[in-house]
Amino acid sequence: MSHIKNLIPKTVNPDLVKERTGAEFNVEEFAAWWHGGQEKLNTKREIERAIFSDLEDGYGLNHEYMSHEDVYNSSVEKVAKAAVKLKALQNKINPGGNDIWPGLLYNVQSHGLFPSNHPLATHITMFVDVIKGQGTPEQVEKWGKAAENCNIIGTYAQTELAHGTNVRGIATRADFDPKTDEFVLQTPNLEAYKWWPGGLGHTANHAMVVAQLYIADVHHGVQMFIVPVRDAETHMALPGVDIGEVGKKLGMVAVNQGFLGLDNVRIPRTNMLMKFAKVERDGTFKASPASRVNYLTMVYTRCLIVNLTSTLLLEAATIATRYSAVRRQSPIEPNQPEPQIIDHVTQRLKLFPEIANGMAYHLAAEHMWEIYAQTVQEANSGKFDRLPDMHILSCALKVLCTTDGCAGIERLRLSTGGHGYLTAANMSNIYGNAVAAYTYEGENTVLLLQIGRALVKAWAAFVEKKPVSASYGYFASSMQLKQFPKWDNSWQCIIQALQYAAAHKTRIAFENLAERMASGQSQGVAANNTGIELARAAELHGRQFVCQTFLEQVTGAKAQKRSAALNKVLENVLELFLVQTLLNNMNDVLRFISLTDADLKSLQKRLEVALDNFRPNAVAVCDGFGFHDRVLNSVLGSYDGNVYPRLFDSAKRSSMNQKPVQKSFETYLKPLMKANL
């Protein structure tokens, strides 16, 4: 344990005090807006007081010095104890709700409660919700309530050792046996082992297994099956089940991802989720009314991913911004005192665009949740028209948010210099938790190609003057222009430029694909050879959507409910985001739009002005995100800004510093030092 705890001041670093008093808006108003209203903000704070106040000293750092096995067991202990506390808190604050229990197992407060992660997140976010979303009322009654209460623990087992994003390539089979009214599940080879499901290793006793359905050896597509995998009392693997953990990873230390092999494992017919597709007692198969209904699960998960990644990005931005306001280095004027490094323009360029990115993706995710709710409501009424569009938009948002988020977190880590390399800064954990999302629930390049194929399909319909969905509405508005209008520097002009470039990139991808097929290439080969163009068109399609959504969220009807001061700050963030996005994609924009040197100089100037205007409000905006110190878990990003005492305190906590001399000294180091080599 540290011997210098009393060296951490009870006061706030004067530089942070100065930053907060110099803010040009009311932080409390920002926080209330960000969290969906003052009542929700107050509830959040009440919850955090209840769950964080009694955590022991060193709670957020002790796991760093544990063995792999001990980290897992410690995390299970934490989540089991937290469950009792969270359930009681739910009954006290919001009886009948699920925002605290089980909501706090996967929302932002979980980052503070479970600093090494925990193995129940997949159970709560996927296993439970898939049952509720795609199970019959009888199935929801049987498994849903038990799962919500953690009487059974499940996971979602789709990815296989040799098959990930390509769901159609999954090799696990489920054959219907009409004699026994059962499905027989089989992993045909090593490559078909389920691989990566969270909590599968040693935690879950049920798995939502995604498998190819066969009836009388006739294939009926991919379906989902609830499969018990461990004994309810002993937790030993059931007969025919080969199960374990995949091993240590870059991040997500205690998530306990696992593998699963099934050898003639039998389950009742009623264990297949049948809200949409059905298998009758006599083996009759009734197809889902919409072939893409299973995408609802992935759409839901991708919305969660955007929420998570934007949150992690903003956590890293808060840490780096507070540190940059405290750290002083490299005089700007010779013979002058060292300034706060946040006063270096190059440092601002590392920090502020990431805050803007995090806010843009957060607001885009909120918009997507609204669309998702409408999509589910329509699906429950038998209407599935919105599903394909929702799928493509969620793919685009997932790709962009995880790509930009992971790059941004690493950029922010680098902005904190050497201290950011320490585990106690928590930047490495934040990155490790975020970067996995680049791959899971659809590897990003594969998703871009899916979007690209949807774009050229929509373009074909557009060319043939057939109706296209609203998300492709910019095709018509862009192609009606013989050339892009004179640049007027407006926000709408920036978005129109991105849409114009996206439309023409889609056109080029479509034309090149058609040309390759006309030359004799098969559709598959032609699509593969057009992959670069398809992916780039897909990225621009997503970026124009995020920009348009951000503009509407900041300047639309909701702005009337905010003060002029807050709107001014948000408009500055919007300005920074739009200008930076345009500059980052200028190679494609200039291919289709003639901008003058004066236009380009103007954009560069706007970037610099936006950075300068955001400077007085940077720390206060980060405060407005409301990340509790337990959530940030960083010696560099604490609210009080006492960076150096906390750095030294964390060093003293190292397990190696609990002994004055390590055992290797007498055994190896001392003989080496006395040897005559």
Side-chain angles (χ1 to χ4, degrees):
M1 297 302 293
S2 171
H3 302 292
I4 61 156
K5 273 171 53 180
N6 59 342
L7 291 185
I8 299 178
K10 299 294 184 182
T11 56
V12 176
N13 183 289
D15 281 326
L16 284 187
V17 173
K18 180 191 72 172
E19 295 296 326
R20 288 166 178 143
T21 56
E24 300 168 337
F25 68 101
N26 186 304
V27 178
E28 188 70 6
E29 183 192 358
F30 180 101
W33 164 73
W34 185 255
H35 291 93
Q38 190 65 48
E39 184 177 349
K40 289 183 179 180
L41 177 61
N42 292 341
T43 300
K44 166 194 172 293
R45 290 169 174 168
E46 180 183 357
I47 291 169
E48 289 176 342
R49 284 192 294 270
I51 64 177
F52 292 144
S53 61
D54 61 349
L55 299 185
E56 70 267 17
D57 192 37
Y59 185 90
L61 192 61
N62 292 342
H63 69 276
E64 298 291 354
Y65 300 103
M66 294 180 183
S67 70
H68 181 55
E69 187 174 345
D70 286 344
V71 169
Y72 168 74
N73 288 315
S74 172
S75 178
V76 173
E77 177 186 359
K78 284 182 172 69
V79 79
K81 290 180 176 179
V84 177
K85 182 189 293 187
L86 296 178
K87 184 67 174 179
L89 200 58
Q90 182 75 69
N91 291 335
K92 174 186 174 184
I93 295 177
N94 184 19
N98 60 7
D99 52 325
I100 303 171
W101 172 260
L104 292 194
L105 291 183
Y106 61 87
N107 71 8
V108 65
Q109 282 76 26
S110 70
H111 303 172
L113 275 177
F114 314 110
S116 61
N117 303 106
H118 69 85
L120 294 191
T122 306
H123 166 72
I124 294 298
T125 60
M126 295 198 69
F127 184 74
V128 172
D129 282 291
V130 170
I131 291 173
K132 292 168 68 176
Q134 303 202 40
T136 64
E138 295 77 15
Q139 291 172 323
V140 173
E141 179 67 25
K142 179 177 181 180
W143 287 298
K145 292 183 178 179
E148 278 188 307
N149 203 40
C150 289
N151 299 129
I152 61 173
I153 305 293
T155 188
Y156 184 80
Q158 175 175 296
T159 298
E160 296 177 351
L161 188 57
H163 290 95
T165 304
N166 180 23
V167 179
R168 294 180 182 178
I170 284 173
T172 302
R173 286 181 64 122
D175 287 82
F176 179 62
D177 183 349
K179 296 179 181 178
T180 61
D181 196 27
E182 293 174 315
F183 292 111
V184 183
L185 282 97
Q186 181 69 38
T187 304
N189 48 47
L190 178 65
E191 290 78 5
Y193 263 62
K194 296 299 182 183
W195 197 268
W196 285 120
L200 178 61
H202 299 87
T203 312
N205 59 10
H206 286 71
M208 183 72 67
V209 175
V210 180
Q212 304 286 359
L213 171 62
Y214 286 85
I215 302 174
D217 215 29
V218 176
H219 182 230
H220 291 284
V222 171
Q223 306 298 336
M224 287 183 281
F225 305 85
I226 298 177
V227 182
V229 293
R230 290 184 179 274
D231 184 88
E233 293 299 323
T234 67
H235 211 53
M236 293 294 291
L238 293 173
V241 174
D242 185 15
I243 193 170
E245 190 214 32
V246 299
K248 294 186 73 173
K249 311 162 297 285
L250 186 150
M252 295 187 167
V253 185
V255 172
N256 194 224
Q257 282 102 336
F259 63 78
L260 175 66
L262 302 169
D263 185 13
N264 290 313
V265 173
R266 289 179 171 267
I267 59 172
R269 174 179 56 85
T270 51
N271 279 35
M272 174 180 141
L273 293 190
M274 297 195 197
K275 181 176 181 179
F276 299 108
K278 295 178 174 61
V279 176
E280 304 290 0
R281 175 64 185 89
D282 63 359
T284 301
F285 176 74
K286 294 185 177 179
S288 166
S291 60
R292 301 190 182 202
V293 72
N294 286 342
Y295 280 125
L296 270 176
T297 301
M298 287 182 280
V299 167
Y300 171 84
T301 308
R302 285 168 187 150
C303 288
L304 281 180
I305 289 170
V306 178
N307 274 136
L308 171 64
T309 307
S310 61
T311 296
L312 291 171
L313 175 59
L314 292 174
E315 287 178 14
T318 299
I319 292 168
T321 300
R322 287 177 177 170
Y323 176 71
S324 296
V326 170
R327 178 76 166 182
R328 290 178 172 272
Q329 192 163 295
S330 303
I332 296 172
E333 290 281 2
N335 303 318
Q336 291 295 313
E338 289 188 307
Q340 298 162 278
I341 61 173
I342 200 171
D343 285 331
H344 291 280
V345 173
T346 49
Q347 183 74 357
R348 296 175 190 175
L349 186 61
K350 297 173 187 177
L351 302 173
F352 301 167
E354 304 310 333
I355 296 174
N357 284 341
M359 292 179 66
Y361 287 119
H362 169 84
L363 293 175
E366 294 301 303
H367 177 63
M368 287 295 287
W369 281 120
E370 295 173 4
I371 301 175
Y372 176 79
Q374 296 170 1
T375 305
V376 170
Q377 188 174 7
E378 291 175 2
N380 289 335
S381 303
K383 298 177 182 179
F384 302 93
D385 298 345
R386 198 191 295 263
L387 263 178
D389 225 26
M390 182 67 182
H391 167 62
I392 293 302
L393 288 176
S394 69
C395 286
L397 202 52
K398 185 266 185 186
V399 168
L400 295 182
C401 185
T402 55
T403 300
D404 293 348
C406 293
I409 291 166
E410 175 61 3
R411 192 175 295 112
L412 290 161
R413 183 190 70 80
L414 292 171
S415 79
T416 60
H419 293 324
Y421 193 67
L422 286 167
T423 300
N426 204 33
M427 289 296 212
S428 56
N429 284 326
I430 291 173
Y431 180 78
N433 292 335
V435 75
Y438 191 98
T439 305
Y440 66 66
E441 289 307 313
E443 193 276 335
N444 281 2
T445 302
V446 175
L447 292 185
L448 283 173
L449 293 173
Q450 284 186 21
I451 300 164
R453 288 193 292 272
L455 282 170
V456 295
K457 184 178 179 181
W459 189 266
F462 168 70
V463 170
E464 295 172 6
K465 301 190 184 308
K466 295 179 181 178
V468 295
S469 67
S471 63
Y472 307 116
Y474 65 89
F475 286 178
S477 60
S478 297
M479 300 313 294
Q480 287 170 1
L481 301 171
K482 292 183 179 180
Q483 64 179 23
F484 195 80
K486 180 176 172 58
W487 192 259
D488 67 10
N489 266 330
S490 68
W491 291 332
Q492 196 56 55
C493 182
I494 291 176
I495 294 173
Q496 189 179 7
L498 291 169
Q499 292 176 337
Y500 191 82
H504 279 281
K505 289 293 285 187
T506 300
R507 172 184 59 79
I508 290 172
F510 173 82
E511 290 171 353
N512 288 347
L513 178 66
E515 183 180 323
R516 289 180 170 110
M517 291 175 64
S519 70
Q521 294 182 14
S522 68
Q523 184 173 356
V525 171
N528 181 50
N529 290 334
T530 315
I532 296 173
E533 294 143 311
L534 291 171
R536 190 63 190 138
E539 182 181 339
L540 285 171
H541 175 68
R543 294 208 180 279
Q544 64 81 28
F545 169 73
V546 175
C547 288
Q548 185 67 50
T549 302
F550 198 12
L551 176 68
E552 291 169 357
Q553 293 289 318
V554 171
T555 65
K558 296 177 182 178
Q560 298 175 6
K561 300 178 181 179
R562 302 186 295 258
S563 70
L566 178 54
N567 280 330
K568 184 178 179 181
V569 171
L570 296 180
E571 288 168 5
N572 180 219
V573 177
L574 174 65
E575 163 80 355
L576 175 58
F577 179 78
L578 292 179
V579 171
Q580 181 81 333
T581 299
L582 184 66
L583 290 172
N584 287 344
N585 294 276
M586 190 57 73
N587 58 326
D588 285 315
V589 171
L590 288 177
R591 183 174 181 181
F592 306 109
I593 299 173
S594 297
L595 293 178
T596 66
D597 186 59
D599 293 332
L600 296 174
K601 285 182 178 178
S602 173
L603 287 167
Q604 177 65 25
K605 180 65 175 177
R606 288 174 67 180
L607 173 65
E608 294 163 1
V609 170
L611 293 173
D612 190 56
N613 288 342
F614 191 67
R615 166 66 183 87
N617 300 308
V619 168
V621 166
C622 290
D623 288 349
F625 298 140
F627 295 122
H628 194 282
D629 275 356
R630 288 290 187 182
V631 170
L632 295 178
N633 195 27
S634 173
V635 295
L636 305 185
S638 293
Y639 184 86
D640 63 20
N642 292 312
V643 169
Y644 302 120
R646 291 184 182 279
L647 276 165
F648 196 76
D649 178 69
S650 70
K652 295 289 283 187
R653 292 178 187 278
S654 169
S655 57
M656 290 188 66
N657 288 331
Q658 309 316 306
K659 299 176 182 178
V661 179
Q662 292 294 314
K663 62 182 180 181
S664 59
F665 173 74
E666 291 290 345
T667 309
Y668 298 109
L669 186 58
K670 186 176 180 180
L672 175 64
M673 294 167 68
K674 292 183 176 296
N676 186 17
L677 297 178

